[in-house]
Amino acid sequence: MYQIINISATGCSLFFFLTIYHLLHLPTSLSAFLVAVCRCVTFSPFKWLKFPPQRNCEDLPLNTGAADNNSSLVVCFGEMLIDFVPTVGGVSLAEAPGFKKAPGGAPANVAVGISRLGGSSAFIGKVGDDEFGHMLADILEQNNVNNSGMRFDCSARTALAFVTLRADGEREFLFFRNPSADMLFHESELDIKLLEQAKIFHYGSITLIEEPCRSTHLAAMTIAKKAGSILSYDPNLRLKLWPSPEAAWKGIMSVWDKADIIKISEDEITFLTGGDDPYDDNVVLKKLFHPNLKLLLVTEGSEGCRYYTKKFRGRVTGVKVKAVDTTGAGDAFVSGILSNIASDTSLYQDEKRLREALAFANACGALTVRERGAIPALPTREAVLKILQNIPE
């Protein structure tokens, strides 16, 4: 495009100077007439050229997913990145012969999971103005997630993470964000109208690590809460991303009492309670259940989950499957329960209906671990209902 324009400019310039040359060699009377015409008309050979304007980052077109102006919209806020997962299981990152590229990031996983289950979801976050960033925006659109709240950063790259499940069952992470675009999300870039539409506003803790994203996170919570949204919190502890364990504990707990729904894992209970028994209900209720909390969920992998409300508590058995990759299992679980609550916000007041919804969420998590990568493995509603039919009551 620019090469063609430059050639055109050169041609116009040559035409102009050749015209002047010939004017100088015309008969005097005709030459005088043409000069008079030129004085009456502002002439520039370059006025015809249309150069495209310099593209600014804020002018980048956004890929908009499905319109989500309904009463069950779940808006997920936070990071979206590229996961690189080993092509074989049971090895360390150093031992992996190769990696498969997959879209990831807990809040984005939840948004896609809800949409794939037939729900309505949106994602708000920031990625780099690079190939990976635009690929992620396209993936959200392809999965019918409203991505109008996404922003692109010209100065930082999309975050990358290498993740593997070692032979000992432990997950190993290696992150590349120094800083990544998600960390540079400014409050002025928030889509306020989208936040105000949320029936549920879901978030994690990674966006609380650094400024300016931390202030943006807090502002988004305030806007959503003021608009009447249910606040859903999955800390998604990643200690390696925090300056120190103390900073992680302080950051995670700084918004703890604002949430209406909290989902945590056994390991996170141990960390947040200073090493207490994660299976002790009294520990959970005394140290983690705050007065404004409507529902506290504890995931236990293939064993299922525990639930705590102000009126009742219990456990729902999990679904046993052969695990290939546990990445995204917790996010799939969150997708399952939030998609149900978004359709029925009184769900956690009825234990029978809550248990049914949690069985559904457990199945979502189980189906996800059977494939590599998070988003590619998230199940459809039909797949979840099919596996639930095969479970004896």
Side-chain angles (χ1 to χ4, degrees), residues 208 214 233 242 244-256 271-272:
L208 295 169
R214 174 180 166 79
Y233 185 25
W242 291 86
S244 67
E246 294 75 21
W249 187 92
K250 183 178 179 180
I252 290 171
M253 298 305 292
S254 67
V255 296
W256 193 265
F271 174 76
L272 294 173

Side-chain angles (χ1 to χ4, degrees), residues 54-62 126-130 134 150-156 181 189:
Q54 185 74 23
R55 189 180 73 165
N56 295 321
C57 209
E58 58 269 21
D59 296 327
L60 289 170
L62 292 172
K126 199 172 192 181
V127 293
D129 179 24
D130 50 39
H134 290 283
M150 286 188 77
R151 300 293 180 261
F152 299 88
D153 196 292
C154 293
S155 62
E189 297 174 300

Side-chain angles (χ1 to χ4, degrees), residues 349-363:
Q349 298 175 13
D350 184 320
E351 187 169 12
K352 181 178 183 297
R353 283 160 43 220
L354 176 61
R355 290 182 62 86
E356 291 172 351
L358 290 173
F360 181 90
N362 283 340

